[in-house]
Amino acid sequence: MAYRIEPATSARFDDVVTLLNPRGRAEACWCLHWRQPPGLPVGGREQHLRELCAHEPPGLLAYLDEPDGGGARADGPGPVDTDRAVDGSTVVGWVGLAPRSAAVALQRSRVLPVGEPEEWPTTWVVRCFVVRVGHRGRGVARALLRGAVEHARSRGGRVVEGFPVEPEADRRVPVSAAFVGTVPLFESEGFETVGGTLATSGRLPRWHLRRDLSSS
């Protein structure tokens, strides 16, 4: 399927909510683990992300354009969504990303490589993926990663990095671990493995992958 990738701006904040906090949980992380200001209360996360969206988009959104309103729900026949936009599109995915210079927690991580400070402003890091139920396994994450590379390039990025998990042989990666992406996903978009890390997701080891934009 073809997906339209758009920056998470203030005008699209309702779609950000749909992906990051559809149940209205007070303790939602709002994809702020790496860039949450010290001392920010849990209840202030939504407003902080809203402010980020008003300046430099903290992520990208994937839309599926279905102007004919066709398709079937994951749980049975009928319309795919009841919250479809006027133009017929449905928001189906999110990817969080930022330059290292904005990822405060990553700069002092003890389990992930922190890189060289002088390279932080031009080294972009993909943090997490969210794909809506009913749209998983259809290439949404790949489209988002491809969009992340182009977004970083358009913002002067020289390198894009990720810390995905390596799937176990013949086993599906659980959603609780797959939000960081998988090694095969990143490799399919031209990323190369730098090495292992001390981090895990869902007890699976996370690897350091990198794509140099100057050579692509």
Side-chain angles (χ1 to χ4, degrees), residues 24-89:
R25 297 186 302 115
E27 69 277 13
C29 74
W30 291 98
C31 200
L32 286 174
H33 176 66
W34 284 354
R35 59 184 310 174
Q36 180 170 305
L40 181 71
V42 172
R45 291 173 180 169
E46 178 180 355
Q47 180 58 34
H48 183 66
L49 188 67
R50 188 184 293 273
E51 292 170 0
L52 290 177
C53 288
H55 296 90
E56 174 63 36
L60 305 174
L61 296 162
Y63 292 87
L64 176 61
D65 293 321
E66 296 179 309
D68 61 354
R73 292 166 54 107
D75 56 351
V80 174
D81 292 287
T82 58
D83 57 350
R84 187 169 294 158
V86 174
D87 64 2
S89 66

Side-chain angles (χ1 to χ4, degrees), residues 66-134:
E66 296 179 309
D68 61 354
R73 292 166 54 107
D75 56 351
V80 174
D81 292 287
T82 58
D83 57 350
R84 187 169 294 158
V86 174
D87 64 2
S89 66
T90 301
V91 63
V92 295
W94 155 276
V95 62
L97 74 161
R100 280 181 178 268
S101 54
V104 180
L106 183 58
Q107 296 169 12
R108 55 174 184 267
S109 176
R110 296 183 179 181
V111 294
L112 294 172
V114 300
E116 299 297 331
E118 61 270 19
E119 297 177 355
W120 287 349
T122 56
T123 300
W124 285 67
V125 183
V126 175
R127 301 194 304 278
C128 66
F129 298 86
V130 177
V131 178
R132 292 181 74 175
V133 175

